[in-house]
Amino acid sequence: NRQSGGIMMERSQLIYVIETARQGNITKAAEVLHISQPSLSNQIIHLENELGVALFERTRRRVVLTDAGRVFVHEAEGIVNGFTSLEKLMGEFARKNTGSLRIGALSTMCSLKIPEMLHDFQEKHSGVSLSLLESGSAALVSALERDEIDAAFAVLNPALPYEGLVQVPLVSAEIYVAVSKKNPLMAKDAFTLEDLSGVSLISSTSDFSLFSIILSQMEMCGIPYTITNRCNQVDSCLSLVDKNLGVTFCTDAAAAYYPYPDLCLIPFSPPFMRDIYLVYKKDPAYYPLLEAFIGEVMSFYKQ
């Protein structure tokens, strides 16, 4: 419905007037519109009475637009075309093939096959604008809370509450101590937290939750630790370990993706696990594209 000056006009009335003007004959227009000629004629007369102006000059065989009618048809065509475009656009949203998604991912996204998953989603939703933010888990969660991204792949620290965020577990992996083959520590069968006291640790920045899982446990147990190097990327941490400049923590998938020749993985005893979650805040019921993305992620990681 469109209201102007207290007058309510139905979309159908606009279409009736446009088609009648196009045909120049009410009977022909009624045939095109698949309604009866009396019904069409009455609808137009009713609209003219509401408007207080005649839209058509009627003769025995034809109807001709008045000056007011010509203006009406010009404006009505714009309105109807706008409705059509709006319906088409909303249909694209309903089919989940338009709009935008902002995704956050870890620097280890390649070893987690996140690029492959994003490719599969883009193939199925070619009209969607997909953007990616790569960062550490803490930074991604903060971006999510500030509505700067719509969903994130992140490692969550079990000691933190993450209120208001939906957490969907995707992948679980064991955390290992990465040691150079040239380091005497490689002779160990397993590491305890106490074994790390006094060892030169190569850590990622505080944005990366995998390291905080181990370091927070050491702090809880009152075990001192020494961080000699901090890096922004897991690859950088592993490259320094490969050169025997300290030890770091990673999963076997990350180590396999960056195959440094002198790298050796030693488990913890008892083991520590790292869980990757898909995290989001918006209710998918109101965001069909986010709902489709969540479904694609769940399907991909259950293969």
Side-chain angles (χ1 to χ4, degrees):
N1 294 355
R2 178 180 173 86
Q3 185 170 7
S4 177
I7 299 171
M8 291 291 294
M9 285 183 282
E10 300 286 343
R11 181 187 178 195
S12 59
Q13 291 177 307
L14 306 184
I15 295 173
Y16 292 164
V17 173
I18 292 169
E19 189 59 41
T20 300
R22 185 177 293 133
Q23 298 297 330
N25 183 282
I26 289 182
T27 300
K28 290 182 180 179
E31 291 174 357
V32 172
L33 294 167
H34 303 291
I35 62 175
S36 68
Q37 183 271 332
S39 177
L40 176 59
S41 183
N42 289 335
Q43 287 278 357
I44 293 175
I45 291 171
H46 177 73
L47 178 59
E48 288 176 322
N49 290 336
E50 274 201 78
L51 296 171
V53 292
L55 300 176
F56 293 99
E57 179 184 350
R58 293 159 175 82
T59 65
R60 288 184 60 185
R61 295 185 178 181
R62 292 187 57 80
V63 290
V64 180
L65 287 170
T66 63
D67 289 344
R70 279 190 290 273
V71 172
F72 184 95
V73 168
H74 179 269
E75 295 296 324
E77 285 177 334
I79 294 168
V80 170
N81 290 338
F83 267 113
T84 302
S85 297
L86 183 59
E87 286 176 339
K88 183 178 179 181
L89 181 60
M90 291 301 103
E92 289 294 309
F93 273 103
R95 289 189 293 275
K96 305 176 182 68
N97 201 38
T98 195
S100 62
L101 269 179
R102 303 160 300 170
I103 306 302
L106 301 159
S107 61
T108 54
M109 64 176 174
C110 293
S111 62
L112 294 167
K113 300 186 181 300
I114 291 175
E116 289 86 340
M117 192 284 304
L118 295 177
H119 173 267
D120 289 354
F121 180 81
Q122 191 78 82
E123 285 282 295
K124 296 174 184 176
H125 306 272
S126 58
V128 173
S129 172
L130 202 59
S131 59
L132 184 71
L133 170 67
E134 179 188 311
S135 192
S137 294
L140 293 175
V141 169
S142 294
L144 195 60
E145 290 172 338
R146 295 192 300 270
D147 289 321
E148 294 172 356
I149 55 177
D150 300 305
F153 297 90
V155 176
L156 301 183
N157 189 334
L160 299 178
Y162 301 107
E163 294 180 1
L165 299 181
V166 179
Q167 306 163 33
V168 181
L170 297 177
V171 181
S172 184
E174 187 172 351
I175 301 174
Y176 293 86
V177 181
V179 182
S180 169
K181 292 178 181 178
K182 300 173 184 178
N183 193 317
L185 292 172
M186 82 152 295
K188 296 183 70 63
D189 293 327
F191 272 90
T192 65
L193 292 177
E194 289 80 4
D195 291 333
L196 295 173
S197 178
V199 174
S200 295
L201 298 181
I202 301 169
S203 171
S204 63
T205 60
S206 59
D207 286 339
F208 291 81
S209 294
L210 182 146
F211 289 83
S212 66
I213 291 172
I214 305 297
L215 298 182
S216 63
Q217 287 295 315
M218 294 182 71
E219 290 170 0
M220 288 174 59
C221 296
I223 302 171
Y225 56 84
T226 303
I227 297 176
T228 55
N229 296 285
R230 288 188 183 274
C231 305
N232 287 325
Q233 302 293 329
V234 173
D235 182 18
S236 301
C237 294
L238 295 177
S239 68
L240 294 180
V241 171
D242 184 63
K243 298 298 184 278
N244 198 22
L245 295 175
V247 306
T248 193
F249 314 126
C250 70
T251 64
D252 55 354
Y257 194 80
Y258 305 107
Y260 288 100
D262 286 334
L263 204 65
C264 177
L265 298 185
I266 301 174
F268 277 100
S269 180
F272 285 96
M273 304 301 293
R274 176 227 61 186
D275 296 317
I276 299 291
Y277 291 83
L278 178 68
V279 191
Y280 57 92
K281 185 171 70 171
K282 295 176 180 177
D283 185 346
Y286 298 104
Y287 296 91
L289 202 53
L290 176 60
E291 184 178 47
F293 182 77
I294 294 168
E296 181 72 26
V297 171
M298 296 298 293
S299 175
F300 183 88
Y301 284 102
K302 287 183 178 179
Q303 291 177 359

